[in-house]
Amino acid sequence: DAKTTQPPSMDCAEGRAANLPCNHSTISGNEYVYWYRQIHSQGPQYIIHGLKNNETNEMASLIITEDRKSSTLILPHATLRDTAVYYCIVRVSGSARQLTFGSGTQLTVLP
Amino acid sequence: GAGVSQSPRYKVAKRGQDVALRCDPISGHVSLFWYQQALGQGPEFLTYFQNEAQLDKSGLPSDRFFAERPEGSVSTLKIQRTQQEDSAVYLCASSNDRGRHEQYFGPGTRLTVT
């Protein structure tokens, strides 16, 4: 699976949009971008994934650049409960394979 | 159950003791994964089961680590002769092997070896 690079930490004001970047310059054509988050003392939680089109669900939006070498996870209206470590993971979809986590981005939502 | 459960949530073991960590996956989920998470790090893969078959154990750090899933549901991760470096959170995840293969994680077991 391709390696990803994320900033170690970010702050965001409550109610504002949180934009979390991820670089995955070595991504292959059949690899998807997945985002998980881990709230303190909990297990990781799936957020969203995509291949090349932008995706949106009830939790977040995922914007993938045209060359697919980077992406941005957007939490449109961050709340204090969104404070967590966010992991960007690249992997082949449709296969039951393990997730390869990096160090992630610690997002702190400030009141 | 509603989600993946793990027990115990916390375990303190003296160096040299054996421990057993239990995972109850979501009912009907075929795939089950174990991960180890050291303090301040992301989870790292240990082993993977499809039903009762252990298809990948490449992440197990030593032969002191052993996992089983005899009936294709509940899984146990056993660590023999625990060492201080085994102190970590052990996470279990399950997946239904359909569609996007989203993995559902349990809350983890925090193991402290003294």
Side-chain angles (χ1 to χ4, degrees):
Chain A
D1 293 332
K3 181 179 172 63
T4 63
T5 303
Q6 299 177 253
S9 64
M10 294 182 64
D11 292 341
C12 176
E14 188 178 19
R16 304 298 290 267
N19 297 279
L20 293 98
C22 179
N23 287 322
H24 31 78
S25 58
T26 60
I27 192 170
S28 300
N30 64 343
E31 289 181 315
Y32 285 65
V33 180
Y34 283 76
W35 284 83
Y36 279 73
R37 75 179 182 183
Q38 188 173 23
I39 295 169
H40 185 62
S41 296
Q42 296 183 21
Q45 175 192 24
Y46 167 84
I47 300 173
I48 198 168
H49 80 293
L51 181 63
K52 54 183 178 180
N53 297 321
N54 298 338
E55 302 288 343
T56 296
N57 63 19
E58 64 279 3
M59 290 183 68
S61 294
L62 174 60
I63 308 298
I64 302 174
T65 58
E66 191 168 345
D67 63 8
R68 302 212 317 124
K69 293 184 177 183
S70 65
S71 60
T72 301
L73 179 74
I74 301 172
L75 307 179
H77 305 288
T79 71
L80 298 179
R81 288 174 295 180
D82 292 322
T83 292
V85 178
Y86 287 77
Y87 296 99
C88 169
I89 298 167
V90 174
R91 67 190 288 258
V92 177
S93 184
S95 66
R97 294 180 60 189
Q98 66 268 25
L99 298 168
T100 301
F101 292 84
S103 298
T105 296
Q106 170 66 61
L107 174 69
T108 302
V109 180
L110 303 171
Chain B
V4 178
S5 61
Q6 294 185 244
S7 61
R9 289 294 314 277
Y10 303 92
K11 176 69 178 178
V12 178
K14 292 186 176 179
R15 189 170 54 189
Q17 284 185 331
D18 298 348
V19 298
L21 313 180
R22 177 187 169 105
C23 173
D24 284 82
I26 293 173
S27 178
H29 277 194
V30 171
S31 292
L32 185 146
F33 302 83
W34 283 99
Y35 295 84
Q36 180 190 58
Q37 186 171 25
L39 189 64
Q41 304 295 317
E44 292 191 355
F45 168 75
L46 292 177
T47 187
Y48 159 58
F49 290 86
Q50 188 175 78
N51 295 307
E52 69 279 2
Q54 189 174 20
L55 299 187
D56 188 347
K57 53 182 181 179
S58 62
L60 295 177
S62 78
D63 58 7
R64 296 186 295 103
F65 286 70
F66 172 77
E68 60 183 6
R69 194 186 185 197
E71 298 179 357
S73 56
V74 171
S75 178
T76 303
L77 176 67
K78 298 180 180 179
I79 308 173
Q80 297 177 324
R81 304 181 304 281
T82 53
Q83 304 295 317
Q84 283 194 315
E85 61 263 28
D86 300 334
S87 295
V89 175
Y90 291 86
L91 294 160
C92 174
S94 70
S95 169
N96 65 11
D97 277 8
R98 289 191 293 275
R100 63 191 182 204
H101 291 268
E102 171 186 342
Q103 293 187 19
Y104 296 83
F105 283 80
T109 294
R110 180 177 295 279
L111 173 65
T112 303
V113 181
T114 60

